[in-house]
Amino acid sequence: MSRADVLPDSYTLPIILKAVCQFFAVEMGRQLHSVAIRLGLVSNEFCESGLICLYSKVGEFETARLSQGGRAKEAIATFIELKRWGFEPDGITMVSVTSACGSLGDLGLALQLHRMSQCNVSSWTSMIVGFAMNGHVNEALECFHCMREAGVRPNHVTFVGVLSACVHGGKVREGKHFFDMMKNVYRITPQLPHYGCMVDLLGRAGLLDEAREMVERMPLKANVVIWGCLMGACEKFGNVKIGESVAKHLQELEPWNDGVFVVLSNIYASRGQWEEVERVRGIMTNKKLAKVPGYSLATNSY
């Protein structure tokens, strides 16, 4: 369709976004997002829902929130006004409002909504994700506890929210517990976002050997995001050995990206290995590496 110079419309994009969501293809999703902006379709409710679904599934909750416009206060005010006029909310409305409560960190109002309506997995997950996204770690985990007590079965998105909360709070023991619970109790197969959270969690805590072991034992092929989390941890703690190993994987995945050389140079510098710093800088100069500018899928030639 693109080769034929036919532009997508409000029917085409949501279908493609649904396929992208199923495969967690976030890079393709970002390109589709740029297409939607170019064509003025980003505010279309179906395109917007597809983008929110994609970013939420891969754990990019801040991006998902921005896709909604970030107007949480207005959403809640509108909901309260509807109640005053006697309108009863449906399931979709309740999910939106509980998500807004999470975005604002308003646990009190979220609990009031829970007394008003029987929460399902979507509304519980919205609150957990919202709390995690805003750094309300304890509230997110308490919400997850209440969800389980209410007999609602969490899904894979729920656990992305829970693990993200653990990352924000540096709760390594809890993160390991929830990761095992997801696999052994609920029989949910971890996807890249879950592994990404765990690698980030372990890396930030300085448990670099555990983080590397998790990446190497993954049944899925690690992407640049996961390797990048580990590389960032190596830079933070000045771990040369693991940093060199991770750098090789990143170079294989993105040979054009000079970021890995910059980070590797910083790791060497933190350890006073100035000869290695010069060697890496020499590689960058010889290859004449440069960052590739972003481009839109609509203008990409095939």
Side-chain angles (χ1 to χ4, degrees), residues 129-233:
V129 166
F131 286 132
M133 179 180 70
N134 286 276
H136 298 285
V137 178
N138 293 330
E139 289 86 347
L141 299 184
E142 176 62 22
C143 197
F144 179 65
H145 176 70
C146 293
M147 175 185 184
R148 297 187 68 210
E149 281 195 336
V152 179
R153 179 184 175 85
N155 59 23
H156 68 282
V157 182
T158 312
F159 277 102
V160 172
V162 171
L163 293 175
S164 295
C166 293
V167 172
H168 282 294
K171 295 182 177 292
V172 176
R173 181 177 59 84
E174 292 85 346
K176 291 179 178 180
H177 170 70
F178 292 130
F179 189 73
D180 290 337
M181 177 191 294
M182 177 180 66
K183 295 186 298 180
N184 301 325
V185 177
Y186 294 102
R187 303 298 178 185
I188 297 174
T189 302
Q191 301 296 323
L192 287 177
H194 304 111
Y195 283 110
C197 287
M198 289 303 298
V199 172
D200 197 11
L201 176 63
L202 295 170
R204 291 189 187 199
L207 303 173
L208 300 182
D209 288 323
E210 284 190 49
R212 180 180 61 176
E213 185 177 351
M214 174 162 282
V215 176
E216 291 174 347
R217 291 187 176 183
M218 281 172 48
L220 305 169
K221 183 178 180 181
N223 58 16
V224 292
V225 176
I226 293 177
W227 285 118
C229 286
L230 187 52
M231 191 68 179

Side-chain angles (χ1 to χ4, degrees), residues 82-95:
L82 286 172
K83 290 293 294 180
R84 285 174 181 166
W85 283 94
F87 289 97
E88 287 300 319
D90 58 13
I92 296 175
T93 305
M94 292 304 298
V95 170

Side-chain angles (χ1 to χ4, degrees), residues 49-68:
S49 296
L51 289 167
I52 293 169
C53 178
L54 171 67
Y55 290 129
S56 297
K57 278 190 173 183
V58 298
E60 296 188 8
F61 303 122
E62 182 63 19
T63 310
R65 184 181 70 83
L66 292 174
S67 296
Q68 293 179 3

Side-chain angles (χ1 to χ4, degrees), residues 20 43 53 56 106 114 138 143 147 220 233 245 250 270 277 296-297:
V20 167
S43 59
C53 178
S56 297
D106 195 334
H114 178 59
N138 293 330
C143 197
M147 175 185 184
L220 305 169
S245 175
L250 285 170
S270 69
V277 171
S296 169
L297 182 65

